[in-house]
Amino acid sequence: MPQLPALASFRPRLMRDLKGYDRDRLFKDVGAGATVGIVALPLAMAFAIASGLKPEAGLWTAIIAGFIISALGGTSVQIGGPAGAFIVIVYGIVERYGVANLLISTASAGVLLFLLGLFRLGTLVRYVPVSVVIGFTNGIAVLIALSQVRDLLGLEITKMPADFFAQIGTLAGHIQSFNPYAFGLGVVCILGLFAWPRLWAVDSQFRRQLDQIQTVSALRATSRLPAPVVALITLSLLAWALHMPVETIGTRFGGIPQDLPAFALPDFSWETVKLLVTPTLTIALLGAIESLLCARVADQLSDTPKHDPNQELMAQGIANAVVPFFGGMPATGTIARTVTNIRAGATSPVAGMVHALSLAAVVLLAAPLAQHIPLAVLAGVLMFVAWNMGEWREFNRMKRFSNHYRLMMVSTFLVTIVFDLTVAVELGLVLAVVLFVRRQSEIFRAEPVAETDQQITFQLYGSLFFGAVAKIDAIVARVEQAGGPLNVVLDATRLISLDTSGLDALESLHKEIAKRGGRLEFLGLNEQPRSLMERSGFADRLRESA
């Protein structure tokens, strides 16, 4: 009886990192967590609003999911929460199925993510080609930027459609409601986000001049504030002080509740779940890819032990299964906040837990102030996120790679924009498989190396599989042209592998040779081809006809 594969052990990285934990590491983690909590504040609200949800949905997702992912995850420094990659997906689900069904989809995706980790399938995500990942990442970045044009221009549009071309048509149809105040705030926000870190760079002229000022220590303290937070505070104060006629969180959503989120069960039925199979798979696939890609980035940037992909998926699954019951949205690993966490000195998952708690404290204490935040400023933050999210240099580097790579990347990019991520990833994977089969079939060769009147020897190279069996037809043709008995020797010392389709082609070749009174012989069979021939009985038939 075949044995079932061993399940993954549930071992959160936190348990390992707390061994030998000391005061110095605690101070570093608390400082890093508080910094990331401040960074997460504007991003969480912006991601939720752009997804068609209320800002508190993003905030409490960052708090609850962020705490669970850090406490139970398989990495030391990764930060979890709402991510820009989900904006397009979530908005489409809300548009087509409604918020209640988004919650069911997210919870179902959480269960699926947990099972992927439990059955040790975390490594499968690595099989997605990098060209496909770059293609849909750039496509999502374009869609995020497009979704923010309404608020950046201050257009009076009640609801944006989910379709790409419909969005463009809607924006063009309302361009007459352009608000120069909103546009000005958004542009200043974007420029400030680009300029802020450059102003405080060690080699900047601005920094050199400040070195001559006695109050440089206080100014340097200001430089530690994240650029999105500086933009949010300064531009919100400017809009409020000047009474700018721009839409804010308060005017659109009525502000952010200062209470803890209530536990509520969404309306659940199996009939609804059946309709949500595609959205659920999309959330699970994207969540797995994003979280494990983020974990790999964290491995490269920090000195902490390498991540456990299966434990990370189980933690992501638990977080996504819990968050919907508090009105949250899908969560995953977030690269920008993870990098901030690492650079701030984080040493363990405690930093991620502190990030969630500090964000909760800010929400509960300062929620009324959020109603003054202009939506154009949040749009500027997301435009900046979209720019940093895209791998735009890859388009210029495409000329260095094969046509296969270009086809997969460009097609995935375009389909992500025009249709949706699910179709794009499916198309990208299908193309990857087809092009891989084609490339492998080109590698296989059957070359004649010696020939007499009664015998011909062929050297086999590569893998004889379903995509390469047509090349055996050339040997069959030589047998038919011989007119009389012909012995065929196949030198298989360089035959790497053989599948059942390849075996069937060899069976047909053997029958044609035996029909004419000749025999088929193999030399130097490797283990895998020999094993398949023995198990199928083909080796016995060869010996009987010898």
Side-chain angles (χ1 to χ4, degrees), residues 200 207 210-212 215-225:
W200 294 103
R207 184 66 173 267
L210 286 181
D211 287 338
Q212 309 300 322
T215 57
V216 68
S217 58
L219 290 170
R220 283 180 177 171
T222 305
S223 72
R224 297 190 184 98
L225 288 174

Side-chain angles (χ1 to χ4, degrees), residues 13-19 21-22 25-26 28-30 32-33 70-71 75-79 302 304-305 341 345-354:
R13 180 60 58 84
L14 178 65
M15 299 295 99
R16 173 179 175 177
D17 284 355
L18 285 180
K19 294 179 180 179
Y21 199 72
D22 54 27
R25 291 181 65 190
L26 176 62
K28 289 181 179 179
D29 286 338
V30 170
S70 292
T75 67
S76 297
V77 292
Q78 177 161 282
I79 300 296
S302 70
T304 56
N341 191 40
T347 68
S348 76
V350 172
M353 298 162 66
V354 171

Side-chain angles (χ1 to χ4, degrees), residues 526-537:
N526 291 307
E527 182 179 353
Q528 190 275 332
R530 180 185 295 279
S531 174
L532 180 58
M533 289 182 183
E534 293 286 351
R535 286 182 283 113
S536 66

Side-chain angles (χ1 to χ4, degrees), residues 464-545:
L464 180 54
F465 69 115
F466 64 89
V469 293
K471 294 186 178 181
I472 298 298
D473 294 343
I475 304 178
V476 175
R478 295 291 293 273
V479 173
E480 294 173 344
Q481 292 169 4
L486 180 66
N487 298 327
V488 176
V489 178
L490 298 180
D491 186 345
T493 54
R494 298 184 182 180
L495 180 66
I496 300 172
S497 63
L498 176 71
D499 74 351
T500 52
S501 296
L503 180 65
D504 184 67
L506 294 177
E507 291 260 24
S508 299
L509 173 62
H510 177 238
K511 291 177 182 178
E512 290 295 328
I513 295 171
K515 187 192 303 182
R516 291 167 172 77
R519 72 175 187 275
L520 176 63
E521 181 183 353
F522 287 88
L523 300 177
L525 276 170
N526 291 307
E527 182 179 353
Q528 190 275 332
R530 180 185 295 279
S531 174
L532 180 58
M533 289 182 183
E534 293 286 351
R535 286 182 283 113
S536 66
F538 181 51
D540 293 333
R541 290 188 288 276
L542 285 175
R543 284 189 285 266
E544 290 171 1
S545 62

